[in-house]
Amino acid sequence: MVNPSHRGPLNEYDDRVEAGRLRDDEHQRGIVQVLQDLHDMLIDYHAPKVVHPSIESLRPQSRSFFASMFRQKQPKRSTTQIPANLPKGLYLYGDVGSGKTMLMDMFYDTLPHNIASKTRIHFHNFMQDIHRRLHVLKMEHGNDLDAITFVAADIAEKGSVLCFDEFQCTDVADAMILRSLLESLMSHGVVLVTTSNRHPDDLYKNGIQRESFIPCINLLKHRLRVINLDSPTDYRKIPRPPSGVYHFPLDRAAKSHADRWFSFLGDPEKDPPHIAHHTIWGRDIEVPLASGKAAMFKFDELIGRPTGAADYLELMRSYDAFIVTDVPGMSYRERDLARRFITFIDAVYESRAKLVLTTAVPLPQLFLSPSEIEDALEGGRQTGSVKQAQDHEDVNDVMRSLMDDLGMNMKMLKNSSIFTGDEERFAFARAQSRLSEMGTQDWVERGMGLEEKGGIAEKESWQRVRSRWREDSL
């Protein structure tokens, strides 16, 4: 069924509320708004034509005798490239009874009319079909064929929007191919929307060779917007926003993401958003939007001007939460901005404050541009330092996941010419690790006064911790 108009999920939700079929719920309405954001982006989206690879192109490249003798460099096979204009998909997770099926119905049935081909399937059935296709190809053409790429092109030809019900991974055979499969689908311009009972971090828990599945988890978290369908409320009876605190890219959903977190972390009823001023060593620091204990800046307003550790420390004493929007990627050309932003990240982390970001690039690329990463990878290939497990021994799980996702390891990072010295190398690594920790559910929900965690008593306990930090920082 093709939606004959641009009626979106919000229109459908309002109609059901008005008809008495649904109760108007603030948290659920927020989730429907997320569906509406993607619906609006899809109105202007036209998937690229699927270029189907030939069987021969997917066979392993052979090295000639003379190429081996003279170490002639083989032409590099093109890597999977995800289109820059691919709308970010959705990963909706929650317990049984959280409305996953209804929300997926609402999204799928109201897809805009320009999405002429779409597919919805239970994830278990989808994977059964994938394994059947792979088996047929390998029986016909041998085990050395890159069959996943071929099958992904077949699937992409059938729909530019692919909706999964009940995404899960319990089988090692699925775990070993999912990253390549999903990435290949995205490379053909397929927008993925899925429901699940688990957060991506909890997929394939305790599974065989789970380390090999971590890149798939990272792909899901970077390329899909992860939305919590369960509705934790705080001591004010206000539900927390359903998405995580970091949003990429700077699309139509970025502004609503920042506004909702600012409204939740601030206190718009008792302290409407306003401009605030602070004096630091005789200088005036302007906060463009403040409400309660939350402050919101554009990146250029906070980092783009000459600010430093003393300014950030004073802001930490005045606010418990910071929303920073329009954060760009910072290559070596913007090293001054990167150093300043890292100093700010350190201040937020050490004061145990909250941080909400909207970014132009995925978090792992904040301080390294794709070209810099590729140069570092090429250097690692030449020295043989890429992807050696022993070089991961001196990093924690967060950084190991980051390195795996970039195809880097610690020796390569330490020896990279990207950074000007050891101090800068480790400031980068520390900032990435701290950003990862501040994005966890535990960090985000600590001190919010969520009812399930103790309500106002939990918030007051956290405020005492913050008060001690303020005293120690004087």
Side-chain angles (χ1 to χ4, degrees):
M1 182 179 73
V2 176
N3 186 11
S5 67
H6 284 325
R7 275 181 54 83
L10 265 181
N11 300 122
E12 180 64 24
Y13 184 77
D14 287 338
D15 287 351
R16 295 188 189 187
V17 168
E18 187 174 345
R21 296 165 59 196
L22 288 176
R23 178 175 59 86
D24 198 353
D25 176 83
E26 183 179 351
H27 179 73
Q28 195 168 69
R29 179 174 288 278
I31 294 166
V32 176
Q33 180 62 59
V34 171
L35 302 178
Q36 184 69 42
D37 289 340
L38 179 55
H39 175 279
D40 292 344
M41 285 184 272
L42 288 172
I43 290 174
D44 301 321
Y45 178 64
H46 298 280
K49 187 179 187 319
V50 175
V51 179
H52 211 297
S54 67
I55 292 292
E56 286 305 313
S57 70
L58 299 177
R59 295 189 186 281
Q61 294 175 331
S62 59
R63 283 180 72 87
S64 70
F65 172 74
F66 290 105
S68 299
M69 282 191 65
F70 296 103
R71 296 184 180 180
Q72 180 179 332
K73 189 174 180 181
Q74 293 291 311
K76 189 166 61 175
R77 182 182 290 180
S78 59
T79 55
T80 303
Q81 293 291 329
I82 297 176
N85 70 331
L86 179 70
K88 195 168 188 177
L90 296 174
Y91 183 103
L92 310 171
Y93 76 98
D95 290 336
V96 174
S98 57
K100 295 190 291 288
T101 301
M102 180 203 71
L103 290 165
M104 181 67 92
D105 288 342
M106 197 177 291
F107 174 77
Y108 189 79
D109 292 342
T110 60
L111 279 168
H113 59 75
N114 56 296
I115 305 298
S117 59
K118 57 185 181 178
T119 302
R120 181 177 178 183
I121 187 171
H122 193 282
F123 188 71
H124 175 74
N125 295 339
F126 174 77
M127 290 307 299
Q128 289 290 313
D129 181 54
I130 293 296
H131 285 298
R132 180 187 60 79
R133 291 168 182 254
L134 292 176
H135 176 72
V136 170
L137 280 171
K138 289 182 178 182
M139 289 294 290
E140 291 180 4
H141 303 286
N143 289 328
D144 291 335
L145 186 75
D146 181 8
I148 293 174
T149 301
F150 192 90
V151 169
D154 278 348
I155 300 296
E157 287 176 330
K158 294 184 178 179
S160 57
V161 175
L162 178 55
C163 296
F164 294 132
D165 288 303
E166 303 298 339
F167 189 103
Q168 59 180 321
C169 183
T170 58
D171 186 274
V172 65
D174 291 351
M176 294 304 102
I177 68 170
L178 264 173
R179 163 71 185 257
S180 296
L181 177 62
L182 297 181
E183 198 166 44
S184 293
L185 287 169
M186 292 180 193
S187 75
H188 289 297
V190 176
V191 178
L192 300 178
V193 178
T194 185
T195 66
S196 179
N197 292 329
R198 299 170 178 266
H199 187 280
D201 286 334
D202 295 327
L203 290 170
Y204 198 51
K205 268 254 175 103
N206 304 315
I208 300 171
Q209 300 181 46
R210 189 173 190 268
E211 281 294 312
S212 300
F213 187 67
I214 297 298
C216 181
I217 292 174
N218 291 337
L219 178 72
L220 291 171
K221 293 195 296 186
H222 294 159
R223 290 292 178 176
L224 305 183
R225 196 174 174 192
V226 179
I227 303 298
N228 185 357
L229 300 183
D230 298 324
S231 180
T233 56
D234 69 1
Y235 65 100
R236 302 167 297 177
K237 307 298 183 186
I238 298 175
R240 60 155 283 185
S243 60
V245 287
Y246 305 142
H247 179 89
F248 150 80
L250 300 178
D251 53 17
R252 296 185 188 183
K255 185 178 185 306
S256 64
H257 171 86
D259 288 345
R260 292 181 66 191
W261 274 108
F262 179 60
S263 178
F264 179 76
L265 294 169
D267 194 354
E269 288 191 6
K270 294 181 181 177
D271 186 25
H274 60 279
I275 296 174
H277 292 269
H278 301 270
T279 302
I280 303 170
W281 292 358
R283 294 182 293 107
D284 180 69
I285 297 293
E286 181 180 286
V287 178
L289 270 182
S291 172
K293 286 292 185 178
M296 183 153 72
F297 299 83
K298 289 183 178 178
F299 179 87
D300 287 342
E301 295 168 337
L302 178 65
I303 307 298
R305 60 191 185 188
T307 50
D311 304 299
Y312 306 144
L313 194 60
E314 181 59 34
L315 290 172
M316 299 307 132
R317 294 191 185 106
S318 302
Y319 301 98
D320 293 341
F322 297 87
I323 296 88
V324 183
T325 66
D326 304 312
V327 179
M330 289 159 273
S331 68
Y332 71 92
R333 297 183 184 86
E334 295 86 25
R335 275 294 180 254
D336 286 343
L337 288 178
R339 292 188 188 100
R340 213 174 287 158
F341 190 46
I342 286 172
T343 301
F344 173 74
I345 290 168
D346 287 341
V348 175
Y349 181 87
E350 289 162 8
S351 71
R352 300 296 185 265
K354 313 292 183 195
L355 181 62
V356 177
L357 301 175
T358 65
T359 64
V361 297
L363 286 187
Q365 294 177 21
L366 275 182
F367 308 112
L368 290 173
S369 70
S371 62
E372 288 174 317
I373 293 171
E374 182 54 40
D375 289 344
L377 284 172
E378 186 59 35
R381 294 185 191 104
Q382 292 175 2
T383 61
S385 64
V386 172
K387 287 291 188 184
Q388 294 178 14
Q390 63 268 27
D391 293 328
H392 279 171
E393 290 174 357
D394 54 349
V395 295
N396 62 23
D397 289 341
V398 171
M399 279 307 299
R400 188 180 298 114
S401 296
L402 169 65
M403 298 301 177
D404 284 342
D405 199 51
L406 294 178
M408 302 174 74
N409 57 41
M410 184 53 80
K411 180 189 290 185
M412 184 177 155
L413 182 65
K414 289 176 182 175
N415 295 335
S416 173
S417 61
I418 292 170
F419 306 106
T420 58
D422 285 343
E423 186 175 345
E424 187 174 88
R425 291 184 184 100
F426 286 101
F428 156 80
R430 185 182 65 236
Q432 288 284 5
S433 180
R434 288 181 166 184
L435 281 172
S436 295
E437 185 177 351
M438 289 191 288
T440 62
Q441 183 175 350
D442 181 64
W443 185 287
V444 172
E445 293 185 348
R446 189 184 309 151
M448 279 187 177
L450 296 180
E451 289 184 317
E452 64 187 35
K453 294 182 180 291
I456 189 66
E458 189 267 344
K459 182 175 181 66
E460 290 173 346
S461 173
W462 181 77
Q463 287 176 332
R464 285 193 292 272
V465 173
R466 287 274 296 160
S467 296
R468 284 195 294 272
W469 173 85
R470 290 189 184 97
E471 292 170 3
D472 292 342
S473 65
L474 291 173

